[in-house]
C-alpha cells in the first residue's frame, strides 16, 4: 500500500452534503500512515458530527479561531506550521470565494492563509454554482496562486441535478497525495509539451480543426512544473490560461507548431506530444474569403508534418512520449504507433460512449511501452497528468542511470 507515513495532513471540511465522504477520507489517510488534524467550518458541523472525525483521526477536531485552550492562544499558526499538506474536502463555493479573497474569517481560512504547505481543494457544489462565472473566476485565482484543484467530477448530484460539481472520491484524493509524494524530481530536466488542436486555414475567416480543448496537455504541463521541470508548452488555440511558471509558445497551424518545437527541441530531455495535430491541411489557403457560389465545392487536402515522429527520429532525441486517441482496437493501434513512430511511451485515450475525453475534465488513459502496459483507469485529467509525469520520471531516470 502506498505510504503517507510521517505526513502531517490537515483536512479541512466545509459545509456540503459531500462532507459525509470526509469520514472515509480520514480513515483512509490514517490507514496510509498519515497523522490527520481535522479542521471544520461551522457549516460543516451541520453535515457531519465532529465526534465521528475525532474518533477516526484520534485527535480533537479544531474549529475555533479564537480558542483559549490552544497552546499560546495562536491555534491557527500552530496548525499552519504543523501541516506538511493541507486538503480541503469538500470545498464549498463559499469557502472557495473566501480563500480567493484572502479572507481570514474562520479557523480553516486562516490556516490556509498562514501555511506554507501545499494546498489541494476538492470542490463540491451544485452544477449551476460551479459553472457561475464568479466561482470560475475564484478557481482561476486559486490555481494561479498555486493551489491544486482535485475535480470536481460530473454526474448525478444530491440535489437532483446532473453536471459538474460532485466531489472526487476519497480514493482519488489519496491517489493525488501519494503520487505527489512519490514523484521523482524532474529538477534540472527540460520538458517540452505540445497541447490543444491546430487550426489549418481555408481562408482568412475559416479553419479546419478538431475538438481538442487542450485540458489534458495543460494538466501535463502543470504536473511537470510541479515535479520541478523547466517546461515549454507549445499550444494550439485554446480557451485556457497557461499554467504559471512555464515558457508558453502559442501557435496555430501544424507547420507553426513544428517550427516552435524545432526551435528548442535540441535542449529538451523529455518531449510529450499531447496535441491533436491536424493530419491534413487545405492545399491552398485563399487570401480572400471563399464566397458562396457553386452548389458544392471540393477541397484538396495535403498531409501535415508528423511532429512527434520527427522528434523521435532525431539522432540525439529526448525521451519521447506520444498520445493516441482511438475509437477502435485502441491498444493494438497504439502499439503500432509506438513502434512506427519509435516512441518510448504512448498514452492511449479510449474514445467511446463511456469515455469522450474532448473538452471533459476526466479521461481514461492506458500507458504502453515496449515492455509493459499500465491501465491508469478513469480519473480527473489533473490526477492522470500527475501519474503520467511520475511514470515518465521513473523511466527517464532508469534510462539515464544505465
Ligand atoms: N502527432 C503529431 N503530428 C501530427 C499528427 C500527430 O505530432 N501531424 C502526434 C500527436 O500529438 C499524438 C500522436 O502523434 O501524440 C498520435 O496522434 P493521433 O492523431 O492519435 O495519431 P496519428 O499519428 O495522427 O494517426 P491516425 O490519425 O491515423 O490515428
Amino acid at each position: 500500500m502506498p505510504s503517507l507515513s510521517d505526513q502531517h495532513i490537515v483536512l479541512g471540511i466545509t459545509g456540503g452534503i459531500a462532507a459525509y465522504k470526509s469520514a472515509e477520507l480520514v480513515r483512509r489517510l490514517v490507514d496510509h500512515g498519515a497523522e490527520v488534524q481535522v479542521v471544520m467550518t461551522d457549516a460543516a458541523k451541520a453535515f457531519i458530527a465532529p465526534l465521528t472525525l475525532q474518533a477516526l483521526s484520534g485527535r480533537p477536531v479544531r474549529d475555533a479561531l479564537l480558542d483559549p485552550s490552544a497552546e499560546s492562544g495562536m491555534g491557527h499558526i500552530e496548525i499552519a506550521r504543523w501541516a506538511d499538506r493541507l486538503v480541503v474536502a469538500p470545498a464549498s463555493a463559499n469557502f472557495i470565494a473566501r480563500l480567493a479573497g484572502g479572507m481570514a474569517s474562520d479557523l480553516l481560512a486562516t490556516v490556509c492563509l498562514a501555511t506554507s504547505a501545499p494546498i489541494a481543494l476538492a470542490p463540491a457544489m451544485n452544477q449551476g454554482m460551479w459553472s457561475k462565472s464568479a466561482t470560475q473566476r475564484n478557481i482561476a485565482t486559486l490555481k494561479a496562486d498555486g493551489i491544486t484543484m482535485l475535480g470536481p467530477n460530473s454526474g448525478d448530484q444530491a440535489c437532483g441535478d446532473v453536471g459538474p460539481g460532485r466531489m472526487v472520491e476519497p480514493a482519488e484524493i489519496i491517489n493525488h497525495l501519494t503520487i505527489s509524494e512519490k514523484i521523482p524530481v524532474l529538477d534540472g530536466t527540460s520538458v517540452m509539451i505540445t497541447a490543444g488542436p491546430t487550426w489549418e486555414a481555408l481562408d482568412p475567416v475559416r479553419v479546419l480543426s478538431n475538438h481538442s480543448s487542450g485540458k489534458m496537455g495543460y494538466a501535463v504541463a502543470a504536473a511537470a512544473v510541479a515535479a520541478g521541470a523547466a517546461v515549454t508548452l507549445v499550444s494550439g488555440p485554446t480557451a485556457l490560461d497557461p499554467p504559471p511558471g512555464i515558457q508558453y509558445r502559442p501557435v496555430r497551424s501544424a507547420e507553426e507548431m513544428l517550427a516552435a518545437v524545432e526551435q528548442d527541441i535540441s535542449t529538451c530531455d523529455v518531449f510529450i506530444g499531447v496535441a491533436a495535430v491536424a493530419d491534413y491541411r487545405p492545399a491552398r489557403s485563399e487570401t480572400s474569403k471563399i464566397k458562396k457560389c457553386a452548389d458544392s465545392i471540393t477541397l484538396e487536402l495535403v498531409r501535415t508534418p508528423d511532429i512527434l515522429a520527427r522528434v523521435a527520429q532525431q539522432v540525439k532525441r529526448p525521451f519521447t512520449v506520444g498520445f493516441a486517441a482511438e475509437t477502435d482496437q485502441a491498444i493494438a493501434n497504439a502499439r503500432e504507433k509506438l513502434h512506427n513512430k519509435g516512441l518510448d511511451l504512448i498514452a492511449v485515450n479510449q474514445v467511446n460512449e463511456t469515455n469522450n475525453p474532448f473538452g471533459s475534465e476526466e479521461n481514461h488513459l492506458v500507458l504502453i511501452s515496449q515492455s509493459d502496459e499500465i491501465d491508469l483507469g478513469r480519473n480527473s485529467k489533473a490526477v492522470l497528468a500527475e501519474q503520467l509525469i511520475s511514470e515518465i520520471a521513473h523511466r527517464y531516470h532508469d534510462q539515464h542511470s544505465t
Side-chain angles (χ1 to χ4, degrees), residues 21-87:
K21 293 183 184 172
S22 308
E24 190 196 336
L25 180 56
V26 175
R27 180 66 186 264
R28 285 187 180 230
L29 287 168
V30 171
D31 284 350
H32 279 71
E35 284 191 51
V36 183
Q37 173 64 63
V38 175
V39 178
M40 296 177 85
T41 64
D42 283 343
K45 289 186 276 179
F47 290 92
I48 184 163
L51 198 57
T52 306
L53 301 159
Q54 175 173 326
L56 290 169
S57 66
R59 287 171 168 267
V61 166
R62 302 287 290 272
D63 55 7
L65 182 55
L66 304 172
D67 181 357
S69 67
E71 209 178 312
S72 69
M74 287 194 292
H76 58 290
I77 301 297
E78 283 159 37
I79 299 171
R81 285 189 184 140
W82 179 87
D84 292 318
R85 311 285 295 261
L86 215 144
V87 181

Side-chain angles (χ1 to χ4, degrees), residues 273 275 277-279 304-308 322-326 337 341:
V277 185
D279 290 327
T304 57
D306 191 321
I307 300 164
L308 181 65
F323 265 66
E326 301 288 348
K337 279 180 194 169
K341 298 197 190 194

Side-chain angles (χ1 to χ4, degrees), residues 203-400:
D203 68 17
V205 297
R206 302 184 181 94
V207 295
L208 290 185
S209 190
N210 57 63
H211 288 306
S212 170
S213 65
K215 286 179 185 168
M216 190 73 233
Y218 280 52
V220 173
V225 172
V231 176
T232 304
L233 177 63
V234 181
S235 174
T238 73
L240 305 174
D241 293 327
I246 58 158
Q247 294 287 331
Y248 184 60
R249 307 258 187 272
V251 296
R252 277 182 299 191
S253 64
E255 289 285 353
E256 282 179 24
M257 189 172 270
L258 176 66
V261 167
E262 284 183 333
Q263 198 177 327
D264 288 328
I265 196 66
S266 61
T267 54
C268 282
D269 303 301
V270 175
F271 177 83
I272 313 172
V274 194
V277 185
D279 290 327
Y280 293 90
R281 65 172 172 79
R284 284 158 45 88
S285 171
E286 304 296 339
T287 49
S288 303
K289 186 181 170 195
I290 301 168
K291 298 303 284 180
K292 181 174 59 192
C293 306
D295 283 346
S296 70
I297 57 170
T298 304
L299 287 177
E300 188 193 347
L301 302 179
V302 294
R303 285 281 290 271
T304 57
D306 191 321
I307 300 164
L308 181 65
R310 290 221 191 164
V311 169
Q313 278 155 14
Q314 293 189 114
V315 181
K316 191 177 159 296
R317 65 181 205 137
F319 186 91
T320 308
V321 183
F323 265 66
E326 301 288 348
T327 50
D328 306 298
Q329 298 182 314
I331 303 295
N333 283 335
R335 257 189 204 293
E336 208 175 308
K337 279 180 194 169
L338 178 83
H339 178 73
N340 291 345
K341 298 197 190 194
L343 310 176
D344 294 293
L345 190 69
I346 192 159
V348 194
N349 293 275
Q350 320 226 24
V351 184
N352 51 36
E353 308 84 64
T354 51
N355 192 62
N356 184 352
F358 293 106
S360 164
E361 299 298 329
E362 294 172 16
N363 201 354
H364 181 166
L365 285 186
V366 180
L367 305 185
I368 301 177
S369 74
Q370 294 294 355
S371 55
D372 63 352
E373 183 179 315
I374 303 176
D375 189 343
L376 298 182
R378 188 170 172 74
N379 217 323
S380 68
K381 287 182 176 174
V383 171
L384 289 170
E386 285 175 359
Q387 290 175 302
L388 174 66
I389 288 296
S390 175
E391 284 296 333
I392 290 172
H394 283 298
R395 288 159 199 254
Y396 171 78
H397 288 302
D398 283 352
Q399 208 177 67
H400 287 78

